[in-house]
Amino acid sequence: MIPSSDLCVRAVQSRDRRFDGQFFTAVRTTGIYCRPSCPAPSPKPANMTFYVSAAAAQRAGFRACKRCRPDATPGSPDWDARADVVGRAVRLIDDGVVDREGVPGLARRLGYSERQVERQLVAELGAGPLQLARARRAQTARTLAESTELPLSDVAFAAGFASLRTFNETVQEVYALTPTQLRERAEPRVPRGPTPTTAVPTTAVPTTVWHTITVRLPYRAPLTPDNLFGHLVATAVPGVEEWHDGAYRSTVGLPHGPAIVALAPRDGFVSATLRLADLRDLSAAISRCRRALDLDADPEAVDALLARDPALAPLVASAPGRRVPRTLDPEAFVVRAVLGQQVSTAAARTHAGRLVAALGTPVDDPAGGLTHLFPSAAALADADDAHLAMPAGRRAAVRAVAALVASGELDLRAGADRVRSSGVLGAVPGVGPWTVGTVAMRALGDPDAFVPGDLGVRAGAASLGLPSTPGALTRHAAAWQPWRAYAVQHLWATGDHPVNRMPATTSSDPSTAPEGEQQ
């Protein structure tokens, strides 16, 4: 929802960055739209019109400001947090579903008719799914034009445009520049990665022609990166994830092929170096990275609510802007969560690493030590006992969960119905509340997911003088809604574990991993 007009005007006049991405200001006298923090002189309030999305401003005929680049703002926190059809639709569109499956595919995934989806999106966002996808394609095209040396015809194809004519017209309408002018105006600070990069051939692993692109991922300040990167690295699966040269690196399967991402925290943004087997996956890769690092969160809103609790207030003050470490691969994460039930993090990593070596798809990595994609759900569902060396109950749970993911019954994708998916997972024999809560928090992205039975959460609560039994802690935590997943991060941070610290070495070391969270 757009804030009140008075609040929007004050935000524009004070150039308040906290509102970037939450609304867009269109100026009727100039025909452009801006982010609230645009450094240009503030227009007269009578000339301002406010839109909830860049697509809505574009649909109304406004062009993107060349100075503040409003299409490059962090996403609205509403769409990441909301579990209704509009929030799910926006996440799916960001993940490229409309480009791959069209509006009918989006509607099927949501369980609504195309007309209902269109009506609800226009009512809340001022633009339908085609306009939202068009805005996304325009931003992808801009990123490629500015950060690579690809021929512009390839940029058009990679961004998802059906023709060069549509590509040229869209870029001209949105940016008031031709694609060639976009490239010529690119600021020197924008890195231009080599395109493409061919990995060094080996006899064991098929080589991939990687397209390497480095982009900046903006976020709303403040951000405390310690637990975010510490957690991802301390729980990293060997061969799939690592900490290398100051960046968290991971392989990930995208709709058109494999990718390797490297994410490094910087002042005011996260640097993302993306190696893509297929450039059509650029938008999906950026969307996955933003979700994995929770970059579209509104830290001031979260911190303000949690700080009302006297027990949490000192933690919030000492580490403002904690994010929830999520995952690049939700379907792999649910299997990892089952593997981690009632065992240490080190043991869970060992089990996962064995599965990766035996069943994962090999990947060549020219810049580090990554070797595989995590095994597919279908491969895990059919895995023999030799590859699942664990107690019979957990082995059956892994197979059952993998089969549900492979069949589509357990949906963990960007637009999944979180309540339904949690119910499907919780009905699997051998899967308990800790696993359901952890998957809801880190794979489904539920900002209110809570794991009161987790040992680290209970220990943290006890150290603060809070109730430490699951029932009593849940009752106390009602005041933390709808941000209980963030409270979990603060409770975990009361312990001295690597998950709470930025990695200090060049690679993740399983021997330093903390004891895992347990049911």
Side-chain angles (χ1 to χ4, degrees), residues 32 39 120 124 158 168 176 191 198 201 218 221 224 254 256 279 284 385 387 432 465:
I32 66 171
Q120 293 196 46
E124 290 215 37
N168 290 324
T198 303
T224 294
L254 295 174
H256 299 99
L279 281 169
D385 290 352
H387 294 139

Side-chain angles (χ1 to χ4, degrees), residues 1-2 52 79 82 84 86 119-127:
M1 298 292 291
I2 298 178
V52 73
W79 316 127
R82 284 172 52 169
D84 63 2
V86 174
R119 185 169 60 247
Q120 293 196 46
L121 287 174
V122 170
E124 290 215 37
L125 290 169

Side-chain angles (χ1 to χ4, degrees), residues 6 106 129 134 180 185 261 288 321 348 430 499 507:
D6 289 344
L106 174 68
R134 177 180 182 266
T180 299
R185 286 173 54 93
V261 305
R288 295 275 190 102
V499 294
S507 62

